[in-house]
Amino acid sequence: MRAARRRMPAALAGVISATLLAGVLSGCVGPAPARTTAGATAGTRTAAASPSPSPAATVDLVEAYARQRLANLTLRQKAASLFMLHLPGTDPAALRGYVDRYGVGGMILMGDNIPSTPAELAAQTAAMTASDPGLPPLIAVDEEGGDVTRLGWDDQPGADTLRDQDPAATRAAFARRATLLKQAGISVNFGTVADVTADPNSFIADRVLGTEPGGASARVAASVAGERGTVLSTLKHFPGHGESEADSHHAVPATAVGKDEWSARDAPPFRAGISAGAELVMFGHLAYTQVDAAPASLSAAWHRILTDDLGFRGASITDDLRMLQDTGLPQYQDAGANAVQAIAAGNTMVLDVLPAGSDPDALIDAVVAAVQQGRIPLAQLDAAALKLLELRRSVATEE
């Protein structure tokens, strides 16, 4: 369990002067923070030798740090910070150079990034975060276990085994998995599949933690509890792939299931994971046409449902936007336009495993232009960038 985030009485708030902020920006912020309520990106710290202050009269050091960093970012740097990208290979210097050159907020490790030993991977991720240790990029991986296992030394069971066992087994497996990830320098696991289906023909069938809402909810909550305090947990693929057999890696699956049916069948595992404290939710590329004809990853309606109906206040991220291009559908062939639409819909972060030879600058340029033209409000960009800065800072102070 992480130490609680230190807060100061209002009487002391005025002493957060340029000297203190300089200390914050250099990483001298004291004890590591802990996550608190569901969907929160960071918790609260309790002053060691101060009387309990009024809850409304406090200053949060991680938030103060994030706001100061945000104030010093250019528009382009803010836009870049909303991207999680990928560079093939295991060369630490090349990976570090990529992070430094583009200023991205995160990097995803795919199979081509995983060396043969945990020590080599730890050295690789250390290089990726070395340029700004006070504000490292988020380093993510899909480590579900079972069919989707990136780390060759992860010997914990996946959903195909866990869904037939007590939820305690899921918690234990994900706790051990989270430890392996943290030891390797990975801060985010895209590992909790909150989809639910009893259809053996569904492409997601082997990866779900339950074939009915109750069992899936219990194990989703258990997986988040197992990762809690070690890595950031992600629920995927909202609003739920279980209603379609189609594979969103090659098409945009569509279902005519309405919101009431979704609320009863697909929402419970996501609600359970949010209540357990998951920090991120990943949006899938599937369309519930009774709610919105667009894929959920590009749908403002589904982002409102996640916030208003399920109470999620954490960070949302798209599934890999390259998957939309891989459908071959003409409306998704412009990577920059996809990124703009995803951010405008409400995603905090955009995940894109770009094809070899692609230019990340073009993605960033597209978002900058959209803000300048008013298609993405500057206030929305700032809010997303701030949320990610807080997440990244909380990771740094918990090391």
Side-chain angles (χ1 to χ4, degrees), residues 26-391:
S26 67
C28 302
V29 298
R35 302 184 193 102
T36 55
T37 56
T41 58
T44 59
R45 296 181 187 161
T46 305
S50 302
S52 297
S54 165
T58 56
V59 173
D60 185 307
L61 291 182
V62 168
E63 181 183 351
Y65 177 96
R67 289 189 179 280
Q68 183 68 16
R69 291 294 294 259
L70 180 69
N72 287 290
L73 294 180
T74 66
L75 173 59
R76 183 175 182 79
Q77 288 171 327
K78 293 174 186 177
S81 75
L82 270 54
F83 284 95
M84 177 175 282
L85 301 180
H86 167 256
L87 180 71
T90 59
D91 179 359
L95 290 163
R96 177 175 178 173
Y98 190 89
V99 171
D100 292 349
R101 176 179 175 185
Y102 297 108
V104 293
M107 293 286 285
I108 184 170
L109 302 179
M110 304 296 288
D112 56 25
N113 296 122
I114 309 301
S116 58
T117 69
E120 289 175 299
L121 181 55
Q124 185 175 305
T125 57
M128 295 166 73
T129 60
S131 294
D132 193 352
L135 193 70
L138 299 174
I139 307 296
V141 71
D142 293 291
E143 193 67 21
E144 301 172 15
D147 285 353
V148 182
T149 300
R150 305 293 189 214
L151 308 188
W153 50 92
D154 179 358
D155 60 356
Q156 296 303 298
D160 55 338
T161 298
L162 294 171
R163 65 169 167 261
D164 296 322
Q165 300 179 3
D166 187 270
T170 299
R171 179 169 183 157
F174 275 82
R176 174 57 181 159
R177 184 165 289 128
T179 297
L180 294 177
L181 295 178
K182 185 169 185 178
Q183 289 171 345
I186 295 168
S187 54
V188 179
N189 190 15
F190 295 149
T192 298
V193 175
D195 309 303
V196 56
T197 184
D199 181 359
N201 296 315
S202 171
F203 95 99
I204 205 75
D206 290 341
R207 297 163 57 191
V208 299
L209 286 163
T211 57
E212 45 78 29
S217 296
R219 293 182 187 87
V220 165
S223 74
V224 174
E227 294 182 330
R228 192 82 173 152
T230 308
V231 295
L232 302 174
S233 296
T234 309
L235 309 175
K236 63 185 188 183
H237 309 79
F238 190 79
H241 259 302
E243 297 294 352
S244 174
E245 294 182 358
D247 185 346
S248 58
H249 290 86
H250 311 294
V252 176
T255 176
V257 168
K259 188 181 175 186
D260 289 345
E261 293 173 88
W262 170 83
S263 295
R265 196 160 53 215
D266 300 281
F270 289 98
R271 193 184 302 275
I274 291 167
S275 295
E279 292 88 354
L280 295 97
V281 169
M282 177 180 285
F283 275 73
H285 305 311
L286 65 154
Y288 282 69
T289 56
Q290 295 297 310
V291 177
D292 193 335
S297 55
L298 306 182
S299 167
W302 277 112
H303 280 81
R304 287 192 296 270
I305 290 169
L306 179 65
T307 301
D308 297 344
D309 293 14
L310 271 62
F312 184 65
R313 297 293 184 272
S316 59
I317 185 168
T318 67
D319 204 346
D320 176 14
L321 286 185
R322 180 178 175 179
M323 293 160 59
L324 286 176
Q325 290 181 274
D326 289 345
T327 66
L329 295 170
Q331 64 266 41
Y332 303 127
Q333 295 312 300
D334 184 331
N338 292 341
V340 168
Q341 192 171 345
I343 294 170
N347 286 286
T348 315
M349 197 171 212
V350 169
L351 171 64
D352 204 329
V353 182
L354 295 170
S358 297
D359 180 10
D361 280 329
L363 292 180
I364 301 168
D365 289 343
V367 174
V368 169
V371 175
Q372 292 171 332
Q373 296 162 8
R375 291 181 288 138
I376 297 175
L378 178 59
Q380 180 180 343
L381 182 78
D382 283 350
L386 178 63
K387 187 173 289 186
L388 291 172
L389 288 169
E390 290 187 26
L391 264 188

